[in-house]
Amino acid sequence: SSTSFPYTPLFRSPRVQILNASERAWLDHHAGMIRLAPDPNFPPFEFFSPQGEYQGIVSEYVRRIEARLGIRFRLVRKSTWDEVVRAFQAGEIDVVPAMTPNPQREAFMRFTEPYIEVPSVIVARTEETRSLTLYDLADSEVLVLEGYASHQYLLDHFDYLRIRTVPDTATGLREVAEGRADYFVVHQATFAYVQNQLELRNLHIVGNTNHLVRLAVASRKDWPERSEEHTSELQSRQSI
């Protein structure tokens, strides 16, 4: 049986955007030099296969951008999402194809309009039969992905929670499934994908966080042309 991975593509217009002469010249000048670093472990949106291939929903967006703009990004592979963010801050990469804008990131990144949104949910073992909100978890340990927008959301709005970070979704799901934690706040689509992959049948969604994760393209603030080009390209294509 097939498993659906809920997410919402936000741009559906088939309009074709044409780069102006200065934008085309800028791209030609930077041909093969624009370093793009995906999240290495964010299925089904983007990840690397065991063979090292860049895959996922976002990778299809990136390939369509390359084809329509006539460019090739220099793919940079990092081991974790936290490494991607730190590399961007250190000037080692230029573009992150799927990141949620927030005030902390906007201090050093320029963002397009979001092009995908996905809800963030609360996952627990199936023995938990209540319908829960984050306000119900004050006395429980709550897992969240380290460095992700959901992590910052919890810190900003639910500082009374006992938060423990995990490096990836598979780790978080195993921690809850095996009883080492009670709850995991995670992207709904990622939960569906990884749960299906790991066959963890004793987990289910028990609540919504009311936090919609909106993915946008992030680029260097000293490259203003990049965001405009990415935004035009993303708005010009139909959803995959």
Side-chain angles (χ1 to χ4, degrees):
S1 62
S2 62
T3 301
S4 62
F5 308 118
Y7 73 97
T8 304
L10 299 180
F11 292 137
R12 300 174 182 273
S13 169
R15 263 185 319 119
V16 175
Q17 301 286 337
I18 304 299
L19 299 180
N20 62 36
S22 64
E23 290 171 335
R24 183 75 263 167
W26 190 95
L27 279 177
D28 291 343
H29 180 71
H30 291 84
M33 298 166 53
I34 303 172
R35 301 163 297 180
L36 179 142
D39 186 332
N41 196 10
F42 186 31
F45 299 104
E46 56 178 357
F47 56 96
F48 287 97
S49 71
Q51 294 74 36
E53 297 175 353
Y54 178 36
Q55 297 184 340
I57 297 162
V58 172
S59 75
E60 295 301 321
Y61 279 77
V62 169
R63 292 185 181 99
R64 196 68 66 90
I65 290 171
E66 289 181 321
R68 291 197 179 187
L69 297 182
I71 64 173
R72 290 298 300 270
F73 292 108
R74 280 178 55 193
L75 197 64
V76 177
R77 181 174 180 177
K78 296 293 182 180
S79 298
T80 66
W81 175 244
D82 190 52
E83 285 187 16
V84 170
V85 177
R86 286 190 281 110
F88 192 104
Q89 290 175 299
E92 297 172 6
I93 57 178
D94 307 309
V95 176
V96 178
M99 180 178 274
T100 301
N102 63 31
Q104 292 80 9
R105 292 169 176 172
E106 287 170 348
F108 61 93
M109 292 177 164
R110 186 182 301 276
F111 287 91
T112 66
E113 290 298 314
Y115 62 96
I116 287 176
E117 67 178 23
V118 60
S120 182
V121 297
I122 304 167
V123 170
R125 291 181 296 282
T126 50
E127 63 201 50
E128 175 60 84
T129 58
R130 297 174 296 168
S131 179
L132 301 174
T133 71
L134 290 171
Y135 297 103
D136 300 315
L137 308 186
D139 298 323
S140 304
E141 184 175 61
V142 180
L143 304 184
V144 68
L145 293 168
E146 183 175 8
Y148 284 71
S150 298
H151 184 195
Q152 191 63 50
Y153 175 74
L154 295 186
L155 293 176
D156 290 344
H157 301 284
F158 300 91
D159 57 0
Y160 55 83
L161 294 177
R162 291 196 291 119
I163 297 170
R164 175 159 65 92
T165 60
V166 291
D168 53 64
T169 301
T171 299
L173 294 184
R174 288 192 180 102
E175 288 288 290
V176 176
E178 296 170 11
R180 291 188 292 274
D182 299 312
Y183 305 102
F184 184 22
V185 170
V186 65
H187 311 89
Q188 185 178 358
T190 306
F191 164 64
Y193 184 96
V194 178
Q195 182 196 31
N196 184 64
Q197 191 178 50
L198 298 180
E199 299 184 348
L200 297 174
R201 303 307 178 200
N202 67 330
L203 299 176
H204 67 156
I205 295 171
V206 296
N208 199 319
T209 66
N210 294 319
H211 180 222
L212 269 180
V213 176
R214 293 179 171 91
L215 301 179
V217 180
S219 60
R220 287 168 44 172
K221 269 201 161 183
D222 60 333
W223 282 5
E225 297 92 341
R226 297 305 309 141
S227 276
E228 295 171 7
E229 289 161 13
H230 283 310
T231 302
S232 296
E233 175 55 29
L234 288 167
Q235 288 175 330
S236 74
R237 63 179 308 281
Q238 294 181 345
S239 60
I240 295 174

